[in-house]
Amino acid sequence: MVKVVQKSISPLQLLQALEQVYPDAHCELLYRNPWQLLVATILSAQCTDKRVNLVTVELFRELPDPEHMAAASQQQVEDLIRSTGFYRNKAKSLIRSAQQVLTLHQGKVPADLNALVALSGVGRKTANVVLGNAYQIPGMVVDTHVKRLARRFGWTQTDKPEQIEIELSRLLPPTTWIQCSHTLIAHGRACCKAPTPICSACPIVKLCPRIGVQTAR
DNA sequence: ATCCCGAGGG
DNA sequence: CCCTCTGGAT
């Protein structure tokens, strides 16, 4: 008598299946250099990337680099970024981080996690976006989509972003980290939405650990 | 009404 | 740990 054990798919296998579905997933923020990506990512908090790209057209024309941003007034920056929300905090962060990049890093955005996180308005999520997309240095980006999908897949139990980042970094090899967030974000937007996933139209529903175990949330 | 590629302050 | 910051899209 052979006992059949239902073995769940590994995180790497599930991720690879998703990459087949979303082969073109990529960073949708528009930028020309690391500084502009840093700016766009700071602006992306609680805002769609489409809205950020609308705002940065004029923002980058008026204030294209750390020198211009560091010298700008709070009012000018607020007026340029208002529609992205949280505009007072974001304006303050942009001006301060520009000043820090100038005084601490010779005007160049540092390619180092700790140095990035030390900048105003830059947390681990923003820092890892810049590291991965501007410098091709593997960083696990945990945003609202990655957090939601990682929990639904059973890859983590916690809801603390930094803890999720640590756990996913152990579950997946560094070579997959940069593309991982793009793939999960693409799937999160298209299908595995908050609060209700559209499982009936899900391309990987047969591989989903959530279906079958039926754990809530 | 809820959600969008969060971070800082108390 | 919690709370606050904010406008736009759906």
Side-chain angles (χ1 to χ4, degrees), chain A residues 8 11 28-29 40 56-57 62 77 79 82 93 109 159 161 177 195 200:
Chain A
S8 64
E28 295 191 23
L29 298 171
T56 52
V57 171
E62 304 268 329
V77 179
D79 290 344
R82 177 161 286 108
S93 295
V109 175
D159 61 348
W177 293 354
S200 59

Side-chain angles (χ1 to χ4, degrees), chain A residues 6-209:
Chain A
Q6 179 90 9
K7 189 170 187 296
S8 64
I9 188 170
S10 77
L12 181 57
Q13 286 178 306
L14 181 52
L15 179 63
Q16 286 171 340
L18 273 175
E19 285 175 349
Q20 298 291 107
V21 180
Y22 306 98
D24 300 323
H26 63 284
C27 179
E28 295 191 23
L29 298 171
L30 300 177
Y31 61 97
R32 299 178 187 285
N33 52 54
W35 166 252
Q36 291 191 349
L37 176 58
L38 179 64
V39 171
T41 308
I42 288 174
L43 293 179
S44 73
Q46 292 298 304
C47 179
T48 60
D49 45 4
K50 194 174 293 184
R51 168 67 45 188
V52 172
N53 289 337
L54 235 47
V55 162
T56 52
V57 171
E58 191 181 349
L59 179 64
F60 292 157
R61 187 168 356 117
E62 304 268 329
L63 306 170
D65 48 44
E67 287 80 3
H68 287 82
M69 184 65 76
S73 71
Q74 172 79 16
Q75 187 63 49
Q76 182 186 9
V77 179
E78 286 185 8
D79 290 344
L80 285 164
I81 68 171
R82 177 161 286 108
S83 70
T84 66
F86 296 164
Y87 60 89
R88 279 186 282 263
N89 287 341
K90 288 176 181 176
K92 213 169 292 179
S93 295
L94 290 178
I95 295 169
R96 282 189 195 160
S97 60
Q99 294 167 345
Q100 292 164 335
V101 164
L102 286 177
T103 59
L104 303 176
H105 305 288
Q106 297 77 47
K108 300 293 179 189
V109 175
D112 173 80
L113 183 63
N114 291 324
L116 283 166
V117 169
L119 300 173
S120 279
V122 180
R124 298 187 67 88
K125 179 260 174 181
T126 298
N128 281 319
V129 167
V130 171
L131 281 181
N133 296 283
Y135 294 121
Q136 286 71 51
I137 297 172
M140 184 64 79
V141 172
V142 178
D143 67 3
T144 178
H145 294 289
V146 173
K147 170 178 164 181
R148 184 178 70 253
L149 269 62
R151 288 169 57 84
R152 284 182 181 166
F153 290 161
W155 292 354
T156 184
Q157 308 293 324
T158 179
D159 61 348
K160 289 181 278 189
E162 185 167 350
Q163 185 60 31
I164 296 175
E165 181 189 329
I166 293 170
E167 292 180 19
L168 296 197
S169 298
R170 289 180 182 148
L171 288 173
L172 297 163
T175 51
T176 68
W177 293 354
I178 296 173
Q179 195 56 29
C180 174
S181 59
H182 296 142
T183 302
L184 294 184
I185 288 164
H187 185 53
R189 286 208 267 237
C191 181
C192 202
K193 303 183 180 187
T196 311
I198 310 173
C199 301
S200 59
C202 179
I204 53 113
V205 66
K206 288 182 179 173
L207 304 177
C208 184

